[in-house]
Amino acid sequence: MTYTPPVRDHAFLLGEVLKIDRYADLPGFAEAPMDVVHQILEEAGRFTAEVLAPLNSVGDKEGCVWKPDNTVTTPSGFKEAYQALVEGGWPALGAVTQYGGQGLPAVVNLSFSEMSSSANMAFSMYPGLTHGAYSAILNGGSQAQKDLYLPKLASGQWCGTMNLTEPHCGTDLGLLRTKAVPQGDGTYRISGQKIWISGGEHDLAENIVHLVLARIEGAPAGTRGISLFIVPKFIPDADGRPGERNSVYCAGLEEKMGIHGNATCVIQHEESLGWLVGEENRGLNLMFVMMNEARIGVGLQGVAQAEAAYQAAASFAKERLQGRSLTGPKNPDGPADPIIVHPDVRRMLMDSRAIVEGGRAFLFWTALQGDLAHASPDEAVRQKGDDYMALMTPVVKGFLTDRGFRVCSDALQVHGGSGFTEHFPASQYVRDCRITMIYEGANGVQALDLVGRKLAAAGGRAVMTFFAEIDAYIETREGDAQLKPWLQGLAAAKAELQDATMWLMQNGLANPDNAGAASSDYMHLFGLTALAYMWTQMVEAAQAKIDAGDADPFYAAKVATGRYFLERVLPDSAAHLAKLKTGAESLMALPAEAF
Amino acid sequence: MTYTPPVRDHAFLLGEVLKIDRYADLPGFAEAPMDVVHQILEEAGRFTAEVLAPLNSVGDKEGCVWKPDNTVTTPSGFKEAYQALVEGGWPALGAVTQYGGQGLPAVVNLSFSEMSSSANMAFSMYPGLTHGAYSAILNGGSQAQKDLYLPKLASGQWCGTMNLTEPHCGTDLGLLRTKAVPQGDGTYRISGQKIWISGGEHDLAENIVHLVLARIEGAPAGTRGISLFIVPKFIPDADGRPGERNSVYCAGLEEKMGIHGNATCVIQHEESLGWLVGEENRGLNLMFVMMNEARIGVGLQGVAQAEAAYQAAASFAKERLQGRSLTGPKNPDGPADPIIVHPDVRRMLMDSRAIVEGGRAFLFWTALQGDLAHASPDEAVRQKGDDYMALMTPVVKGFLTDRGFRVCSDALQVHGGSGFTEHFPASQYVRDCRITMIYEGANGVQALDLVGRKLAAAGGRAVMTFFAEIDAYIETREGDAQLKPWLQGLAAAKAELQDATMWLMQNGLANPDNAGAASSDYMHLFGLTALAYMWTQMVEAAQAKIDAGDADPFYAAKVATGRYFLERVLPDSAAHLAKLKTGAESLMALPAEAF
């Protein structure tokens, strides 16, 4: 499985569209001027393409193996690759310097994450979840907990997990039963079964730090009685070295459609020893720190799988000779033309580019908002960053994975019958990508989070700011003839989104089912509008280079793909608006027993 | 894996919408009055639910096994089920009485095929391909070939296959290399490798009859030098019993994403003994008889998998307790509400119903056209039937499998994390269904067949007839207030389709790439319009019953689902029209090396 890291596109986004050099006076950004970033991108590309990509198919075919002694073996080569990852310092890229990290902006770290996930999604989940555990302790842990765990998690020397789901509760964590009994010495004994724990057990690192949701004996029922605990697989000794084995075990692995290289574990806590993180009964808030970060990471996986699948499809389409172009032979000396001459094959490839490049821009733009929320000295910028992060997270997660999966399915389609066989990579991308629409909150939950919580927060401040930003952007460029089609497309999409938002405000209050019924179409309309904004900015940046005489075909391709987005992707927005305005009635008309 | 055969819906379509009793004076239909049909539906339901459905997951998990002696073992239970199928006379249902068949209309046989495919798609492909081989010989074979092979194929005692694809040619059969050398005695020796041969080798039947495309030595290059041959695995002796083993071997099985229970074979012809079917160099025409039948069968598989996946999703949604309804608890005594209370879950289930029920009606309506093309004494009816079959076949295949796959993916989504595990049936439906978009001509090929061949045939007669039929249907019902929303929706969709057709005529000639670029969106616009026509007729039939006082909730559900189709599915048509009218330019702008 070959993978060509999109270094050029990342550099374009960071350097020419988002122009991160303008934040050089902010912490983190100071350490990442574009020339340094470019070196990081090159090295990240090399590492992911050379070390991780070759193991992607191995991981799919071998899978992880559970043994009756409750150990789990990862696929051949994963252990060595993980060691190389840690030695290369990659997990530390986005961690704070105080605990051994390199302190780079999240938007730069995202580049590595995308490449890593494209090259080998199942593998990349191990360090991905470790970073989530790191964030939860960084945000909620005591100083002692930080000192003990953060350096090990930041470096990747130890791995981390999230222990949320139980057999009877996934989305609805209020039903959670795992029990924590205080031991009187500040520790707890935790009992219960957790399922679907990614990286819950494996042979990659010397310790695994589980972050576990459990209910302290006597705590209130529902979501207000849930606390967060650190449960290390090996209890650190006085020197912080892995000591006694804790009574937390992997009782088996799930058989799954994809991501076979990642161990999805049933985890038994048999009075395992745990330490409370933060306050009692406030565990869900801390878990949402991890969760929100993870949701951006899952949106990224959608784009990353789509990128990798697109690459495989494009390369197949250029090589496979079959039939002739409708406008006369393009490969007259060969037995047939490469299938890329066919407009319908192009349609699928251009769709993929429009979603992948637009989606990547949206991801990077959102991550930059998060960086500014932390690093800016300007309170207004920080607030806008926070608002945008909250508002965009469900869109990034839900829209980009829904669309990313479609790209993977199209990439398989370009392969024809070969795509359905496991000799080509297309099937794995479809199977691996499918989980992104589900985990960290199924996309329906994302859509509901968007319309039910994020839109209304602070009186709709975030979405109003977004509309005003787009209006100002368009107004400033009013005379730009070249950009006009994109400005018009953006204005139209934004008007539709605004219309939908008004409809929601009026009808969602009258009947909450109207909000639920509209949610998925609203999320997609939002995503399309966000991508229209991204594409307009990318076309603007590319066109500026072309106008200045830059003949790099990258810029011409960017403008052409931007046009495709406008003509062939954006028209879906009107259908989403029309559907959502029909309300809940036709969805809810049937009694449950009619299904 | 439980499966509830949709007997009620089939009876509604055949008896109340298509009203097949009105054709009681035609051959075939005479043997199938609705009371008999109802018995067949009940028995078909019982057989498929009790015998085939329990083996679906077994087939997926065990797969077929190839051994170095070139034999293939099917999954546990398949052999016994196949025997029961033959003993039950099911393969003979749609075969002509002259060769031992029951001579029932194709539209009745379709009911059994759908149920069989829902219950176990991989299994059902064995008799499905056998029927294809039967049709090719019935249409092109000599009397001796018919007498020898048809009774065995009609009964299912022997199985059949299609040997088309070679490693370097699938869609583009002109590149075909398999060679046939005449032996001077009317027989041929055939040499070459065929791949992706479904049911190419197995242990279900005493003989396998391969229908093989090959090029007779000295024949012209390209598609005009291809002939069709019968190559039996065991050469029938003078009494028509399987005799000497022919030199056609299975050299291995493909590892595939789905349909593991069906043996997808590499087939080696090592001077295998073959008999020419029909004329030399006219093999492709005969193969298209099989192919067209197979394409309808694949459209059916799309609907069948969608139906089965929907059933699994609906049952999960009624059982899984998680969260509370937005409008207050619906299961106040339980720990949570069943997830079917959530509008976004309803959206996926209603989408599925709208596509499955509408798609089934479209399939049945099309099959009826095929029956009338054969059986009607009225030449105009026969011609219309032929025209419609030709026009609708690519739509049935391409549109219904594209949409069927989306339904399967939605059904997986309703399952949440459970859907991604192989303990639930959702993943298998997604994986099995995915091939339907590819085989028997990838959906892009269907779309091109529609716009490049079928539309223009006989000066556009078929599509003009279809438009006129819809116009007349709408006009006749002008005063019907209850039906008005559907009549309006149908009129609008038909106007869009007509607009797109005009656009294609004008722009496809000027630049054939415009036709290619429009083809997929045109096919979807066509499919949506066809479903609007079907839904209007179904709502009309259901509403008539309701108006007559029939309180069967089936009719109310039909009208409610029809409303959902109108409000939430049909609006996609405008987006397809907008996209296709942008032409080929943005698709073809980039040079191939930019991908």
Side-chain angles (χ1 to χ4, degrees), chain A residues 170 172 255 257 318 320 322-323 343 346 353 409 413 420 422 434 437 568 572 579 583 587 590 594-595, chain B residues 170 172 255 257 318 322-323 343 346 353 409 413 420 422 434 437 568 572 579 583 587 590 594-595:
Chain A
D172 187 356
E255 202 191 329
M257 186 179 180
K318 285 187 280 187
R320 173 76 172 170
Q322 205 77 181
R346 289 285 184 127
R353 292 175 72 112
S409 182
Q413 191 70 17
F420 196 68
E422 299 289 356
R434 189 61 187 79
M437 294 160 70
R568 292 258 178 182
D572 286 339
K579 290 179 191 181
L587 277 77
L590 292 184
F595 288 86
Chain B
D172 188 356
E255 202 191 329
M257 187 179 180
K318 286 187 280 187
Q322 204 77 181
R346 288 285 184 126
R353 292 175 72 111
S409 181
Q413 191 70 18
F420 196 68
E422 299 289 355
R434 189 62 186 78
M437 294 161 70
R568 292 263 178 177
D572 285 339
K579 290 179 191 181
L587 275 78
L590 291 184
F595 287 86

Side-chain angles (χ1 to χ4, degrees), chain A residues 504-543:
Chain A
L504 269 174
M505 287 178 179
Q506 283 158 10
N507 297 279
L509 285 175
N511 174 7
D513 274 349
N514 278 329
S519 59
S520 179
D521 283 300
Y522 184 82
M523 179 178 77
H524 277 267
L525 179 52
F526 205 120
L528 287 167
T529 306
L531 257 57
Y533 186 34
M534 298 302 135
W535 269 113
T536 310
Q537 294 176 69
M538 290 195 285
V539 167
E540 184 184 22
Q543 192 62 52

